[in-house]
Every structure is written in C-alpha cells, then in structure tokens.
C-alpha cells in the first residue's frame, strides 16, 4: 500500500519502477496503443506518474508516441510499443533453432547441412560488417568489432595489451544454448573475427565450455597465463 501511495503521489518507491514499467509494457502488448489517461486508470496511478514511466521507456526505445486523429479537436497522443520492445518479452528462438538443427542431425543425409548453415551465417555476417572495417587500423577494427558485438547483446569489452595486441571479452552469449551443443557456432565466430580483423585471433576462454566469458587474444597480445607457462 505504501508503494502504491508513493507512486500515486508522483514519488517513485524504491524497487517499484521496473515492475510498473513491466506492467505498462504488458498492457500495451495486449491492448495496443493507449494514452496516459487509459494507462493511469488501468494501474491506479496518476497521469503524471504514467508519463514519467513512459518517458523512460521512450528513452530506452521501447515505446513511441503516436498522434491519433480525433473527429474534433487536437490529435490524441497514444503510446505504442516499438519493435525494440520485443526484448522485454519471452522468446524461445533458441529452442526452435536447436529443434531444427537436431532434426537435421538425426538424418545422415541432412547432417552435412548443419555445417553449411553455420558457414552461410558467417558469410552473411562478413558481408554485412566488412565495409565497416575498411580503411581502419587494427585498433580501430577491434573497437568496431566490440561495438558490433555489443549491438548483438554480447556485452563486449576491449582491452589494450602491451605492444600491438588486444583482448576482446564477451560476458554474454545470446546463442549460448546453440553454441553449447554445436561447436560450429564458436568455430565460425572465431573465423569471422579473423576475417574482419585481418589479424591472428585466438580464443582463450569460452562461455559455452564453462568459462566465465568468451575471450579472444588479438594480434600480438599474449595472455598472462601463457607468459607464466601455465
């Protein structure tokens, strides 16, 4: 009750903002475009509180404000979900992908298609991202690859080493379920990085194999473990 009263007064109670925005997203998913008054009535909040939440969701790219023409008067502005809002809802793409790959794997005649599919994916990614590497130094290419991987949800970070080497660390793997079962995913990613960076790239740690992250030594970077002879 205290949390609800705080929100009604326009003062966000600690820990309730995320839950409230989740309920707003669910309402828009189920009912389509809604204005602040409609959302406020559904959740028992003030329109001011609704607008504050929607402003944050709009900033995140999850909702957009769309003018809706009225028979008379000024257009009514409603909130609608954007395509980017899909990330807030459950998705089972990995289950579908594994089921399809398992179906190919179950038949000796179609098993070779698995390698072809992963190679085809690598080829398309290379064609998509290679233009972003043109004319760049190795450091610039590593930075660009880090940005590309972050855009794909890999939570990537770049580390500069001594000399001309670099490390690329990925703390999340959006395809971990697939990669854990099909080594082709990791092999193709390594090959893709080598092609994009035009450099020697070695994987030193892998999430799919029980590591805490996926790490890649790039160029002349020598991991400390190798320097110490471990």
């Amino acid at each position: 009750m205290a949390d609800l009263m705080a929100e009604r007064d326009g003062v966000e109670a600690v820990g309730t903002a995320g839950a409230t925005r989740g309920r707003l997203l669910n309402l828009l998913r189920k009912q389509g475009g809604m204005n602040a008054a409609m959302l406020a009535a559904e959740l028992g909040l003030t329109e001011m509180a609704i607008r504050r939440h929607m402003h944050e969701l709009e900033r995140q790219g999850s909702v957009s404000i769309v003018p809706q023409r009225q028979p008379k008067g000024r257009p009514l502005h409603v909130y609608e979900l954007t395509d980017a809002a899909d990330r807030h809802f459950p998705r089972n793409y990995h289950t579908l992908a594994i089921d399809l790959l398992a179906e190919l794997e179950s038949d000796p005649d179609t098993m070779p298609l698995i390698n072809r599919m992963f190679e085809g994916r690598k080829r398309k990614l290379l064609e998509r991202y290679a233009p972003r590497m043109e004319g760049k130094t190795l450091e610039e290419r590593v930075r660009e690859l880090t940005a590309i991987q972050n855009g794909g949800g890999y939570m990537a970070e770049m580390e500069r080493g001594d000399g001309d080497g670099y490390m690329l660390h990925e703390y999340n793997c959006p395809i971990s379920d697939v990669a854990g079962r099909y080594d082709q995913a990791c092999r193709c990613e390594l090959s893709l990085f080598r092609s994009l960076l035009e450099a020697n790239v070695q994987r030193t740690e892998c999430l799919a194999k029980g590591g805490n992250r996926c790490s890649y030594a790039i160029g002349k970077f020598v991991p400390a473990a190798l320097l110490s002879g471990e």
Side-chain angles (χ1 to χ4, degrees):
M1 178 62 74
D3 288 350
L4 179 57
M5 291 177 64
E7 281 201 304
R8 288 179 64 87
D9 291 338
V11 179
E12 191 68 70
V14 176
T16 63
T20 300
R21 288 168 196 156
R23 294 166 65 193
L24 288 167
L25 290 169
N26 286 337
L27 277 172
L28 293 177
R29 174 68 87 185
K30 293 177 180 178
Q31 301 188 31
M34 300 175 70
N35 61 38
M38 296 164 65
L39 291 166
E42 286 282 348
L43 297 187
L45 303 176
T46 64
E47 291 187 31
M48 181 182 297
I50 293 295
R51 290 192 178 93
R52 186 178 64 251
H53 286 297
M54 301 311 286
H55 175 76
E56 178 61 22
L57 289 171
E58 183 183 18
R59 187 188 68 80
Q60 296 173 6
S62 298
V63 301
S64 60
I65 301 176
V66 180
Q68 191 176 72
R69 291 188 174 277
Q70 302 295 307
K72 295 182 180 180
R74 299 168 60 184
L76 182 67
H77 290 85
V78 300
Y79 298 102
E80 293 184 354
L81 295 181
T82 64
D83 291 340
D86 285 347
R87 68 181 185 273
H88 296 289
F89 299 94
R91 290 179 289 181
N92 290 317
Y93 297 150
H94 64 281
T95 302
L96 175 61
I98 290 176
D99 287 347
L100 292 174
L101 289 168
E103 187 67 22
L104 294 175
E105 191 177 27
S106 66
D107 187 336
D109 291 333
T110 58
M111 188 180 297
L113 293 176
I114 296 177
N115 287 332
R116 289 177 55 185
M117 288 175 64
F118 281 103
E119 286 295 330
R121 177 177 183 270
K122 183 194 73 174
R123 185 171 59 254
K124 288 180 180 178
L125 292 175
L126 181 60
E127 292 172 354
R128 181 185 306 169
Y129 296 127
R132 293 173 58 170
M133 303 294 177
E134 292 179 359
K136 290 182 168 63
T137 64
L138 177 58
E139 180 173 351
E140 291 170 338
R141 291 197 296 272
V142 176
R143 292 189 184 280
E144 189 68 33
L145 179 58
T146 303
I148 289 170
Q149 293 303 92
N150 275 323
Y154 285 83
M155 295 177 61
E157 289 182 354
M158 170 186 171
E159 176 188 347
R160 178 69 183 267
D162 295 333
D164 298 325
Y166 306 88
M167 289 293 292
L168 175 65
H169 303 295
E170 298 175 340
Y171 295 90
N172 182 57
C173 179
I175 61 169
S176 59
D177 290 326
V178 174
R181 180 164 175 174
Y182 296 94
D183 290 339
Q184 294 95 326
C186 294
R187 291 202 303 268
C188 285
E189 181 177 65
L190 181 59
S191 177
L192 174 67
F193 288 0
R194 288 171 175 167
S195 297
L196 288 173
L197 297 176
E198 299 179 10
N200 178 38
V201 182
Q202 300 295 329
R203 183 184 291 110
T204 62
E205 190 173 1
C206 182
L207 281 165
K209 293 178 173 59
N212 294 318
R213 59 190 179 181
C214 289
S215 292
Y216 298 87
I218 300 166
K220 297 180 181 179
F221 190 101
V222 180
L226 297 182
L227 287 173
S228 62
E230 295 180 12

